[in-house]
Structure formats: structure tokens, C-alpha cells
Amino acid sequence: MERIAVFPGSFDPITLGHLDIVERGQTLFDRIIVAIGHNALKSYMFTLEQRMAFLEDTFAGFDGVEIDTYQGLTVDFCKSKGANFILRGLRNPADFEFEKAIAHTNRTLTNREIETVFLLTGSGKSFISSSIVRDVIRNNGNYTFLVPDAVRI
């Protein structure tokens, strides 16, 4: 059975932390679907098209990595793609507490058919978040050491 994981997020923008999780996740899964979820309650700095382009450029040449978008529940998207895993990155204990609640909910919603796998972000990248990157960009700071080359606008 093929091991397929969905790595969901807004990726506004993708960071080196996200890239780290996908690179390391490739050793665990046959296929990783990096999926931009639409959250109607969020306002984004980058358009969906820009975020898709960032992801496509970043993961060009990566075997077994696909880029997609979805609306609605992540577990419903996973089912539509035949994925039995959700891949999530953790930077700190606060991330764990937040993600743990979502993982338990997702597992209950799917009658234990979909399992969440957590990877700790590499120590040199654990301070990076998309919100920090956006703040640095808004204030004309140097953000290039926080993101893949594709995001350097």
C-alpha cells in the first residue's frame, strides 16, 4: 500500500521550515501532497496563484511531491486523495498543544483511518514562521534567509 501524506497549510509564504519538513518527510512517505487550504477567516499577503507558484518552483524536481489546493476539512481532502496520513511540523511546545487537538479531532472524524505524523522542525529553523516572514517583508527587512529562493520577490 502506497504511503501518501498531505502536508496542509496556508504557505503564506512557504518558509525554510516547511521545506525542511517536506524534505525529511520524503524518507517516510511514498508521496507527499503539499496542499494549500483555503481559510475564509484569513487574509493573505500573497494570492493563491503566487503561493502555488512558490510551492511549484520550490518543489520542482522533488520526486513524489505534488502541489494542490483544497477547501473544507483537511480529512475530506485526504480521503479524496487516498491519503492515510497528515504531515505536520512542530517548532515548539505551543505548536504541539495546538496540533494535538486538531490531530485528535481528525482521527475521531475519520474513525482512526487518518493518522497525523509530527516532525520537529530542524533546530536552525524552529524560529521561522510565515507570520514572521510577512512582518519582515512588510517592514522592508531582509527575509531571504527565511524562505526558499522561489519566494525572493
Side-chain angles (χ1 to χ4, degrees):
M1 184 169 132
E2 188 178 33
R3 292 169 308 190
I4 304 169
V6 169
F7 182 38
S10 59
F11 304 103
D12 187 36
I14 182 175
T15 70
L16 291 179
H18 295 127
L19 177 59
D20 175 62
I21 295 300
V22 172
E23 287 175 331
R24 291 177 32 239
Q26 283 190 292
T27 65
L28 302 172
F29 303 104
D30 300 308
R31 193 160 43 117
I32 298 174
I33 303 167
V34 180
I36 301 172
H38 176 72
N39 182 339
L41 301 177
K42 275 190 172 182
S43 58
Y44 298 103
M45 174 176 270
F46 297 98
T47 66
L48 177 61
E49 292 75 20
Q50 288 174 305
R51 291 179 284 147
M52 285 287 291
F54 294 157
L55 293 173
E56 288 168 352
D57 289 350
T58 298
F59 295 111
F62 277 58
D63 288 334
V65 175
E66 301 172 19
I67 311 304
D68 208 340
T69 65
Y70 71 99
Q71 292 189 30
L73 294 175
T74 301
V75 292
D76 291 339
F77 178 74
C78 289
K79 288 178 186 178
S80 76
K81 294 296 184 174
N84 286 53
F85 301 95
I86 296 172
L87 177 61
R88 298 297 293 160
L90 300 175
R91 296 169 298 183
N92 54 49
D95 280 356
F96 173 73
E97 289 301 324
F98 176 75
E99 294 290 345
K100 178 178 74 169
I102 294 171
H104 285 311
T105 302
N106 287 339
R107 197 157 187 257
T108 302
L109 285 171
T110 63
N111 199 27
R112 297 184 171 94
E113 291 177 11
I114 297 176
E115 191 68 59
T116 301
V117 175
F118 298 110
L119 292 179
L120 298 177
T121 304
S123 62
K125 298 171 184 73
S126 63
F127 68 96
I128 303 171
S129 71
S130 293
S131 57
I132 287 174
V133 172
R134 291 191 304 271
D135 195 45
V136 172
I137 291 170
R138 273 190 209 99
N139 290 288
N140 299 313
N142 178 13
Y143 62 93
T144 59
F145 65 99
L146 303 168
V147 297
D149 290 343
V151 181
R152 297 179 184 172
I153 50 177

